[in-house]
Amino acid sequence: QVQFVESGGDLVQPGGSLRLSCAASGSIASIYAMGWYRQAPGKQRELVADTTRGGITNYADSVKGRFTISRDSAKNTVYLQMNSLKPSDTAVYYCNARPPIMGSGSWGQGTQVTVSS
């Protein structure tokens, strides 16, 4: 079963940038679409962005124009470039397939992104 390890989260000021990485313990070549999700305190996990094997991308309206998702299937890694960060982007960010793979160990620990002055 594929498992994911997220990294790259940090404390940044509004307007700053971060690049998140998601390393998969198994091959993602067979996964049609990979996505980044986030969960803010008191809220449900939401899909932020996803990308297909063919390079088609989709973004939530709240991040469109600011975030860029990419995947390197050869490295079993997915990235999220985050620019012009806002305090409302503060959340724990996770990666998974779209639709997400469910079951034990399917969700990683996530990486904390905090945007504050």
Side-chain angles (χ1 to χ4, degrees):
Q1 184 179 36
V2 177
Q3 295 181 325
F4 307 102
V5 179
E6 301 90 347
S7 63
D10 205 350
L11 170 65
V12 297
Q13 295 183 346
S17 298
L18 284 173
R19 191 192 193 202
L20 306 184
S21 297
C22 169
S25 63
S27 176
I28 62 171
S30 63
I31 300 176
Y32 176 68
M34 286 292 301
W36 280 95
Y37 302 76
R38 69 185 181 187
Q39 186 169 24
K43 297 184 178 181
Q44 294 188 73
R45 184 182 291 117
E46 64 174 342
L47 179 66
V48 175
D50 64 81
T51 182
T52 70
R53 288 179 295 193
I56 300 173
T57 58
N58 290 286
Y59 299 92
D61 289 341
S62 59
V63 307
K64 195 171 299 181
R66 300 187 296 118
F67 291 9
T68 303
I69 187 172
S70 61
R71 72 191 281 178
D72 187 337
S73 294
K75 296 181 179 180
N76 294 318
T77 303
V78 184
Y79 305 96
L80 185 68
Q81 179 65 47
M82 311 166 67
N83 299 324
S84 302
L85 284 163
K86 305 175 180 179
S88 58
D89 294 319
T90 296
V92 178
Y93 285 71
Y94 305 86
C95 67
N96 207 328
R98 182 191 61 77
I101 299 172
M102 306 304 293
S104 179
S106 296
W107 292 101
Q109 295 297 306
T111 185
Q112 177 71 50
V113 172
T114 302
V115 185
S116 176
S117 60

